[in-house]
């Protein structure tokens, strides 16, 4: 049953339409959010709108790692305390933030901007793979780094597309004499062995590590 | 475990903070939405922000029914084809839209702006009840309407607060000689009798209606 929505106000209708165009926000939520904003102090709503517009207009991509950045170089690439010889290759900005939030990584990143997916029509040329290759080529050809001291971590998803992309990148960069690694796969922290799938459990056994009590 | 969020960009952080301040939008969704907006054409993002700001700055409340409106009088109150003698009293704008979408109501509205709730600290004076009383008083004292032809429908929720509010309003307006009604309560369309709660089922029996095959 599709009843046409009747809005008491064109202004409300426009705002609901705009908010409802965001992914995962339905008509009902959009209306709830619009009415919420209507009840907020005007200056809060102005700040809200401004921050969204500023993000779109002023944010750019770091010229080295292609991450979202306020300047030409992102805060990580311009940080001298980071290990610039260890490059973690990730699919997107969310992955950078996830890894940063672990506090376990002190190298730099390379953001692919997606993953190779024939179904979604994403090929290697749609990603920043050639920029990654150039970046490594420059590192090892200049005196900046000894190849064996450079490590590229392929931190992509464990699904077919992630594995395909990892393999594609590996073939492009394996000739430089650098180290290439990938994330450890295995049981998650707190995971119940009984409920783990066979592939994951199998990988956990193959990749077993010395017990450190 | 509270790890401080590390953003690669202050612009991104500000936008995520702003989007995450909306009710029901978590940090993770806010980031997803911010990154979505970043990928949209700049002009779409500008339109999005503009529609939200315009809603906040330009929308007002109808001087008669207190509904969100683009003008001094809302589109329903200024519509001569509507029955201005039948006033449906609702809690909020969402309820107006829900009733409008049924296509079954041809009268006008009165938006209370909330419901009497001692727990939430909302009393009668926080709502537009006195404006409703004045509105009815004016209708019946002028020659505009014959009291017995005026009907007020109390279309509030069936919970304690809704019933309390209905009762409070009823006491304020019952002296004018107008008709006061409330929404029919009973089994929902398609509801299974076996799973209906006793109160609802009891009301369905008391309020039973002639069978219309």
């Amino acid at each position: 049953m599709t009843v046409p929505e009747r809005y008491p106000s064109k202004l409300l209708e426009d705002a609901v339409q705009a908010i409802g165009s965001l992914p995962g926000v339905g008509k009902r939520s959009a209306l709830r959010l619009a009415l919420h904003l209507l009840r907020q102090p005007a200056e809060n709503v102005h700040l809200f709108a401004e921050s969204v517009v500023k993000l779109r207009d002023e944010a750019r991509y770091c010229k080295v790692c292609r991450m979202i950045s306020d300047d030409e170089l992102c805060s990580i690439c311009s940080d001298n305390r980071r290990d610039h010889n260890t490059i973690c290759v990730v699919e997107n900005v969310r992955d950078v933030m996830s890894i940063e939030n672990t506090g376990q990584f002190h190298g730099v990143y390379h953001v692919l901007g997606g993953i190779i997916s024939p179904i979604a029509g994403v090929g290697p040329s749609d990603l920043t793979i050639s920029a990654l290759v150039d970046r490594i080529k420059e590192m090892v050809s200049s005196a900046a780094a000894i190849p064996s001291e450079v490590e590229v971590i392929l931190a992509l998803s464990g699904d077919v597309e992630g594995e395909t992309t990892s393999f594609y990148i590996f073939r492009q960069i394996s000739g430089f004499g650098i180290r290439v690694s990938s994330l450890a796969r295995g049981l998650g922290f707190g995971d119940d062995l009984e409920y783990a799938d066979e592939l994951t459990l199998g990988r956990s056994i193959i990749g077993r590590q010395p017990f450190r009590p």
Side-chain angles (χ1 to χ4, degrees), chain A residues 71-201:
Chain A
D71 302 296
E72 205 175 28
L73 268 187
C74 75
S75 55
I76 294 173
C77 284
S78 57
D79 185 346
N80 286 327
R81 293 161 304 179
R82 310 276 308 208
D83 170 12
H84 289 255
N85 279 346
T86 306
I87 301 172
C88 185
V89 177
V90 293
E91 183 179 340
N92 55 41
V93 176
R94 280 203 301 281
D95 296 338
V96 172
M97 291 185 58
S98 298
I99 293 174
E100 282 298 286
N101 286 335
T102 67
Q104 299 296 319
F105 181 67
H106 309 290
V108 293
Y109 293 92
H110 192 89
V111 180
L112 293 178
I115 201 134
I116 297 174
S117 168
I119 294 169
V122 179
S125 61
D126 299 313
L127 310 175
T128 64
I129 295 175
S130 66
L132 172 67
V133 175
D134 291 345
R135 184 176 169 188
I136 297 166
K137 199 183 284 176
E138 207 164 293
M139 282 173 78
V140 299
S141 65
S142 72
I146 302 160
S148 65
E149 284 176 1
V150 172
E151 179 177 1
V152 170
I153 305 172
L154 299 170
L156 303 176
S157 298
D159 54 13
V160 176
E161 287 157 349
E163 299 275 309
T164 305
T165 309
S166 290
F167 186 66
Y168 182 88
I169 294 172
F170 176 76
R171 282 205 313 191
Q172 304 276 311
I173 62 176
S174 58
F176 293 120
I178 60 173
R179 283 182 293 155
V180 182
S181 57
S182 67
L183 292 181
R185 308 274 181 210
L187 277 189
F189 239 23
D191 270 10
D192 197 325
L193 199 132
E194 190 178 344
Y195 300 114
D197 65 287
E198 288 143 31
L199 263 171
T200 300
L201 190 54

Side-chain angles (χ1 to χ4, degrees), chain A residues 19 22 37 43-53:
Chain A
I19 298 171
L22 296 172
L37 287 168
E43 101 186 22
N44 290 17
V45 177
H46 292 175
L47 281 173
F48 168 84
E50 201 185 311
S51 69
V52 167
V53 167

